[in-house]
Amino acid sequence: MFSPTGPTLSELAVQALSSVEHGYDLLAPKFDLTPFRTPEPILDAVVNAVRPLGPFRAGLDVCCGTGAGVGVLRQVCEERVTGVDVSAGMLEAAAAAVPGVPGGPAVEWVRADARALPFAGEFDLAMSFGAFGHFLPRERPALFAGVHAALRPGGRFVFPIPAPPRVGSRLYWGLWGFDAVMRLRNLVWRPPFVMYYRTFRLADVLAELDSACFTTELLPLPELGRLPDGSPRCAVVVAQRA
């Protein structure tokens, strides 16, 4: 799963025994060489789904990591794009990987906790890719309220969400096992490292977005294929600030 030039097992172990912030500071130089980076087919599919919803002037990548989402926003926003992350190391790697493009939107990087975003009515579009497992369910209302406040009226908060794995499949048990190990780790080790795959359930998330005063719709991403029952393997949540 990992590139030969990616992080070693010992490096991953050190990261896993650190806090979320420090762990990603350590992983940042090699993050894009791991399977944790959002794959290009997902990024391209989101671009295709979002572009018809525009035009957008300013975009925000929430928990931007090394900047994959900023690359998406640069394709659909006209004026400026902002990446925000709590890890200084990830922001440094993002700034190196996603330079500004002459004639394209301005790019800026902001270090901040996504649960307390320092923006008010500045953006037409917010996105996030692969970061929600770092937030406990009780923390998501503050996260969604902060995104809502960062958007202009009518602005949209967009993120992809895969179909849940089939119960009993290898992926199902793999995610269940990962979450169980993380819970055990956080019971016996400090500081905690919050990363759970099975706590971000679509029904719960839609209800929380509704409570944060978003209206939501789901758009399928047909490029990513369909399940045997015909439903999409992945969809994008589009939550609009009224």
Side-chain angles (χ1 to χ4, degrees), residues 10-234:
S10 62
E11 288 173 330
L12 289 172
V14 170
Q15 182 219 5
L17 295 175
S18 305
S19 66
V20 174
E21 179 182 340
H22 183 56
Y24 277 103
D25 285 344
L26 296 173
L27 184 60
K30 298 182 179 180
F31 180 82
D32 285 350
L33 300 173
T34 74
F36 306 133
R37 186 184 190 278
T38 304
E40 292 297 329
I42 293 179
L43 300 174
D44 293 340
V46 172
V47 170
N48 292 336
V50 169
R51 183 174 279 126
L53 304 177
F56 305 102
R57 287 184 290 160
L60 175 67
D61 185 2
V62 181
C63 303
C64 66
T66 54
V70 169
V72 170
L73 287 165
R74 287 200 312 183
Q75 298 181 60
V76 297
C77 294
E78 299 171 350
E79 296 180 5
R80 70 184 180 100
V81 174
T82 300
V84 62
D85 203 281
V86 73
S87 166
M90 295 293 268
L91 290 172
E92 182 179 354
V98 189
V101 176
V107 178
E108 62 180 353
W109 309 97
V110 176
R111 186 183 179 198
D113 190 324
R115 295 165 295 187
L117 292 171
F119 310 109
E122 300 180 36
F123 300 98
D124 308 290
L125 177 64
M127 290 186 175
S128 192
F129 292 87
F132 295 117
H134 293 303
F135 301 96
L136 297 172
R138 66 174 182 269
E139 297 173 319
R140 291 200 301 259
L143 171 66
F144 293 158
V147 175
H148 185 277
L151 290 170
R152 299 183 177 112
R156 291 177 171 89
F157 179 31
V158 175
F159 53 87
I161 187 165
R166 179 177 55 83
V167 175
S169 65
R170 287 194 298 174
L171 179 58
Y172 173 89
W173 289 116
L175 298 181
W176 190 96
F178 180 92
D179 282 9
V181 169
M182 291 303 297
R183 293 185 185 279
L184 178 61
R185 177 252 187 244
N186 289 333
L187 282 174
V188 302
W189 192 267
R190 291 291 183 272
F193 190 95
V194 175
M195 181 60 210
Y196 301 114
Y197 283 105
R198 299 178 65 251
T199 60
F200 198 72
R201 298 180 177 90
L202 179 59
D204 297 336
V205 170
L206 294 179
E208 291 161 0
L209 289 167
D210 180 72
S211 296
C213 299
F214 284 103
T215 58
T216 58
E217 63 176 323
L218 284 175
L219 301 179
L221 300 178
E223 304 97 318
L224 302 179
R226 294 188 176 275
L227 298 172
D229 65 1
S231 60
R233 292 187 179 276
C234 190

